[in-house]
Amino acid sequence: MKFKIDGLTVYFPYEYIYPEQYDYMMDLKRTLDARGHCLLEMPTGTGKTITLLSLITSYMLANPSVGKLIYCTRTVHEMEKVLEELRKLQAYQEKCLGKVAKMLALGLSSRKNLCVLPEVSGEGSRESVDAGCRKLTASWVRALALDNPNIELCSFYEGYEKSGADALLPTGVYTLHDLRAFGRERGWCPYFLARHMIQFANVVVYNYQYLLDPKVAGIISKEMEKECVVVFDEAHNIDNVCIEALSVNIRQQTLDGATRNLSQVTQLIEKSKATDANRLRQEYNRLVEGLAQRGNLPGSDTWLANPALPQDILQEAVPGNIRRAEHFVAFLKRLVQYIKARMNTEQVESESPVSFVTSLQNQAGIDQKSLKFCYDRLHSLLLTLEVTNTDEFMHIQTICDFATLVGTYTRGFTIIIEPYDERMPNIPDPVLQLSCLDSSLAIKPVFEKFQSVVITSGTLSPIDLYPRLLNFHPVISNSYKMTLTRDCLCPMVLTRGSDQLPVSTKFDMRSDPGVVRNYGRLLLEMVTAVPDGIVCFFVSYSYMDGIVNSWNEMGILQDVMQHKLVFIETQDVVETTLALDNYRRACDCGRGAVFFSVARGKVAEGIDFDRHYGRLVIMYGVPFQYTLSRILRARLEYLRETFQIKENDFLTFDAVVCLVAG
């Protein structure tokens, strides 16, 4: 249908629109007119995605000055759904307006999801695929291949490079599957083609990290124009995403790996001095001029950007004490040795970045300015040494990531060193955690750079907490109710089991055999009465493992499997994906199944258990965070002092958002 909102013609590809969708569009248009930011909460199942896409693309048609739409999602599954909806919308707009409505829209993801070269795409982890790609596409590898035909290159990247300016996508909407198919057909690399085409696209759909993680945003999103409209969909956990983007954990294996990495780098430096010392001299001269030249690197050579370095420092010369390669390696060895010594403790230690850097200066002679440049200096050195297997150098990258963050920020972070996990005090497992306490640090550049930012989800209540957590002032903040023609949900809260004993997942009750047995009986009664699929959410992986083991010992699990098959989410992505696929197959064939999942796990967000896949959802407890965590305690104290957010308010908000989203 086609209708007007405040003079704007909106193209909507369906015959019926809910009242809340219309109200949502009204507020969205006011936000775009005001060139401000907004918070909008609309229940899941009310067509939020198509509402957003219809209004914003219609607004772009009427206002050519608006740049592109940057649509951020959490998962690849959500990205594909957005692009499928956009394809329907684009077809309808083209039907109404003809060629004027043609657009280019594409999804962008990692090499792992876009690579079409079997030898590389089958590597496994994302880091392995990235390294495999670099081994075949790095500029120095391609230069050597000109004289040595035996050196293996990527045929798809070579095809893309040979096409030059002609390597373009025709207008249309491209999912990741479409990009891979197009790449195979043309003989072009889909990943580098997509990276190149985002500057010409009208709509770009990608992961939150491409905007919120400075290491990724500095490579992918730095050229995006200010007039863009940014949407963070399913943004109820945006606070956690921002925190994770600027937090670093260092364990003993990280330090051991970093030590091995530095030995490898030392050998490579000696080899380079013997064979081509001029390369190291040229790098030294570049570092005197500053870091700005890294923006001119070939696409195949670009690595992750600096995690924190402000743009005005890029023109500065790198400090003299880390310009020479051997000096920089010695600098990193002192840093690793200092961290090792600090982690060799029997007591928990907590301090601010300022205190840590002061101690580092006094005991190891490492100054704050050198720390700031650590990450970029490592990147420059690995490029100069022509390192392609970057996945083997992840440990030293983590150390430099930590160094740059701790050398840049004086507030909003805490450093906590724990000799063991409180829940397993008999197992030594030292960890140094640089934890970001202020989520606004990651999202602040997005609010400052782009014209309008839309934060939306089916769950944002209490909505007034987000502006305080993210430190911004929305033009509009609104929550909409769902229009229901019939009662289709029946929520129930159970506090007692079938034997009338209390049941709870409180820490002091969760392991009680009576509670565990009652929870099992509840599931057994449900599988005998409810058809198709049942999804069970637990508060944590450890709690799920414990309760499933207990049910197995009690014979409850065997009784459940007499009625339905049982599938379990694990912390392994491949295993979980396989379990989820088989769960769907069991539901499709009428056998019925139960899926055990975790409220803060991989399946809780972005996966639809619609229709027969989710006839019943059982939530075993409210997923509060582990309240004795020192990182959490430090953050609660920071939020109270900085934003006047009470501890209970934040804990309840975090748990309810996780519960309702799941």
Side-chain angles (χ1 to χ4, degrees):
M1 66 166 68
K2 189 167 65 171
F3 54 91
K4 294 271 188 181
I5 290 183
D6 284 347
L8 173 69
T9 303
V10 178
Y11 300 90
F12 189 73
Y14 297 104
E15 296 180 359
Y16 180 81
I17 184 170
Y18 295 122
E20 57 268 30
Q21 287 178 305
Y22 187 85
D23 294 340
Y24 189 100
M25 287 185 182
M26 292 276 288
D27 285 342
L28 200 51
K29 182 180 183 298
R30 292 191 192 108
T31 301
L32 298 180
D33 287 340
R35 299 194 172 193
H37 314 310
C38 68
L39 271 166
L40 302 175
E41 178 187 36
M42 189 161 76
T44 302
T46 50
K48 174 168 37 62
T49 301
I50 194 61
T51 305
L52 275 164
L53 295 173
S54 296
L55 189 284
I56 296 175
T57 55
S58 298
Y59 194 90
M60 291 166 65
L61 286 170
N63 299 273
S65 60
V66 176
K68 55 175 62 66
L69 166 60
I70 304 173
Y71 200 108
C72 300
T73 68
R74 289 291 302 277
T75 65
V76 171
H77 178 73
E78 289 172 351
M79 182 192 306
E80 298 284 78
K81 285 201 303 183
V82 171
L83 289 164
E84 289 295 345
E85 288 276 32
L86 188 59
R87 178 172 285 151
K88 296 175 190 172
L89 174 61
Q90 202 272 333
Y92 178 70
Q93 289 180 344
E94 198 170 333
K95 178 182 175 183
C96 295
L97 297 172
K99 293 184 178 180
V100 177
K102 280 188 176 294
M103 69 166 73
L104 175 60
L106 55 89
L108 178 63
S109 188
S110 63
R111 288 174 172 87
K112 180 172 173 55
N113 292 322
L114 283 172
C115 180
V116 290
L117 192 68
E119 303 88 77
V120 174
S121 60
E123 285 287 340
S125 70
R126 186 184 65 193
E127 291 79 12
S128 299
V129 173
D130 288 349
C133 176
R134 286 174 63 84
K135 290 174 185 175
L136 302 178
T137 62
S139 58
W140 57 87
V141 174
R142 299 178 66 231
L144 289 172
L146 293 175
D147 300 321
N148 185 354
N150 293 324
I151 292 178
E152 189 179 355
L153 298 176
C154 174
S155 58
F156 291 99
Y157 184 76
E158 293 304 309
Y160 164 75
E161 282 289 296
K162 286 175 184 174
S163 298
D166 294 327
L168 299 171
L169 279 170
T171 54
V173 178
Y174 295 86
T175 63
L176 300 186
H177 173 77
D178 296 331
L179 286 169
R180 290 193 297 269
F182 185 86
R184 288 192 186 96
E185 180 187 334
R186 295 293 181 90
W188 296 344
C189 171
Y191 173 75
F192 286 101
L193 177 63
R195 279 265 301 267
H196 173 62
M197 291 305 299
I198 59 174
Q199 60 185 310
F200 307 109
N202 306 101
V203 181
V204 178
V205 184
Y206 54 36
N207 190 278
Y208 281 34
Q209 305 294 341
Y210 286 75
L211 279 184
L212 295 179
D213 188 336
K215 299 189 295 297
V216 184
I219 297 295
I220 301 296
S221 305
K222 62 180 180 178
E223 303 297 336
M224 297 291 194
E225 59 267 39
K226 178 177 175 58
E227 292 75 22
C228 292
V229 176
V230 175
V231 172
F232 288 107
D233 196 6
E234 300 300 335
H236 44 273
N237 275 339
I238 194 168
D239 171 66
N240 289 333
V241 177
C242 292
I243 292 296
E244 290 167 8
L246 293 177
S247 297
V248 181
N249 284 359
I250 297 175
R251 296 187 177 274
Q252 188 61 49
Q253 52 264 44
T254 310
L255 295 173
D256 294 341
T259 302
R260 290 194 301 272
N261 291 161
L262 290 174
S263 297
Q264 291 173 272
V265 170
T266 301
Q267 293 173 9
L268 290 170
I269 291 171
E270 294 304 319
K271 181 180 177 182
S272 181
K273 282 181 178 179
T275 57
D276 189 2
N278 189 46
R279 269 194 288 145
L280 291 171
R281 280 196 298 270
Q282 289 175 348
E283 183 200 33
Y284 181 90
N285 294 331
R286 286 199 309 271
L287 295 174
V288 173
E289 297 169 6
L291 293 167
Q293 88 287 343
R294 71 166 288 158
N296 300 320
L297 291 171
S300 57
D301 290 352
T302 52
W303 194 23
L304 293 179
N306 192 293
L309 205 59
Q311 289 298 312
D312 56 353
I313 300 180
L314 289 178
Q315 304 300 332
E316 286 190 32
V318 173
N321 63 325
I322 59 172
R323 283 182 203 158
R324 292 198 179 281
E326 55 270 32
H327 293 171
F328 178 57
V329 172
F331 171 93
L332 289 180
K333 285 180 178 177
R334 293 203 309 277
L335 176 60
V336 170
Q337 201 61 41
Y338 175 81
I339 296 174
K340 272 185 181 178
R342 289 297 305 271
M343 287 174 62
N344 186 21
T345 179
E346 295 181 0
Q347 294 182 335
V348 175
E349 298 180 14
S350 177
E351 61 184 324
S352 67
V354 174
S355 172
F356 185 89
V357 171
T358 302
S359 174
L360 189 57
Q361 169 83 55
N362 295 336
Q363 297 185 37
I366 293 175
D367 63 291
Q368 183 179 2
K369 186 172 182 180
S370 299
L371 288 171
K372 286 184 182 180
F373 285 87
C374 228
Y375 197 89
D376 276 284
R377 181 65 189 91
L378 177 67
H379 172 254
S380 175
L381 180 59
L382 293 184
L383 276 179
T384 301
L385 298 175
E386 298 183 345
V387 171
T388 55
N389 54 331
T390 50
D391 57 329
E392 295 180 13
F393 290 83
M394 294 300 292
H395 298 296
I396 195 62
Q397 292 175 44
T398 301
I399 298 294
C400 289
D401 188 0
F402 166 80
T404 295
L405 287 169
V406 82
T408 302
Y409 293 104
T410 56
R411 274 184 56 78
F413 284 79
T414 189
I415 296 172
I416 296 179
I417 303 172
E418 295 180 290
Y420 50 79
D421 189 322
E422 270 192 350
R423 289 166 286 191
M424 292 179 286
N426 298 321
I427 303 176
D429 185 21
V431 57
L432 182 150
Q433 303 169 85
L434 173 68
S435 181
C436 179
L437 307 175
D438 189 348
S439 55
S440 68
L441 293 174
I443 202 170
K444 181 182 178 183
V446 180
F447 286 134
E448 290 180 343
K449 179 176 181 179
F450 295 109
Q451 176 175 301
S452 292
V453 178
V454 179
I455 295 178
T456 186
S457 179
T459 314
L460 289 178
S461 298
I463 202 167
D464 61 326
L465 207 55
Y466 284 89
R468 295 159 68 190
L469 283 171
L470 303 178
N471 196 21
F472 78 111
H473 302 287
V475 174
I476 289 176
S477 180
N478 208 347
S479 182
Y480 313 91
K481 293 183 178 179
M482 178 185 282
T483 302
L484 292 175
T485 55
R486 62 185 178 85
D487 292 334
C488 53
L489 297 173
C490 179
M492 297 178 66
V493 178
L494 300 180
T495 58
R496 292 183 180 274
S498 57
D499 57 5
Q500 295 306 303
L501 288 176
V503 291
S504 173
T505 55
K506 286 171 60 178
F507 192 77
D508 56 349
M509 288 183 65
R510 64 170 56 177
S511 300
D512 183 272
V515 172
V516 174
R517 187 178 295 105
N518 270 317
Y519 277 149
R521 285 176 181 168
L522 169 64
L523 177 61
L524 185 56
E525 290 170 8
M526 292 300 102
V527 297
T528 59
V530 178
D532 301 321
I534 296 176
V535 186
C536 300
F537 287 108
F538 298 84
V539 294
S540 68
Y541 284 107
S542 59
Y543 180 59
M544 179 176 70
D545 291 344
I547 207 168
V548 170
N549 283 334
S550 297
W551 286 348
N552 186 47
E553 292 171 2
M554 294 175 181
I556 293 175
L557 206 57
Q558 289 81 352
D559 292 340
V560 169
M561 293 181 69
Q562 294 295 319
H563 302 275
K564 295 182 186 296
L565 298 177
V566 174
F567 299 94
I568 303 176
E569 173 187 346
T570 70
Q571 298 189 54
D572 182 272
V573 176
V574 177
E575 286 181 0
T576 299
T577 303
L578 188 61
L580 194 58
D581 287 343
N582 286 326
Y583 169 80
R584 292 182 183 278
R585 288 174 60 192
C587 294
D588 289 339
C589 73
R591 176 69 173 82
V594 180
F595 194 86
F596 292 160
S597 184
V598 175
R600 296 181 183 274
K602 302 172 180 64
V603 174
E605 293 183 45
I607 303 297
D608 288 336
F609 291 101
D610 57 341
R611 297 173 290 110
H612 60 296
Y613 298 128
R615 297 293 186 199
L616 172 70
V617 176
I618 302 175
M619 183 72 220
Y620 289 105
V622 179
F624 286 101
Q625 291 194 50
Y626 179 57
T627 52
L628 296 180
S629 162
R630 291 183 174 86
I631 293 293
L632 178 60
R633 303 309 306 175
R635 183 155 194 232
L636 291 173
E637 182 180 344
Y638 181 84
L639 292 176
R640 185 177 63 251
E641 293 176 354
T642 309
F643 300 119
Q644 290 73 55
I645 297 174
K646 296 178 182 177
E647 292 184 8
N648 285 340
D649 288 348
F650 178 77
L651 288 171
T652 304
F653 152 80
D654 179 75
V656 170
V657 163
C658 181
L659 175 63
V660 178

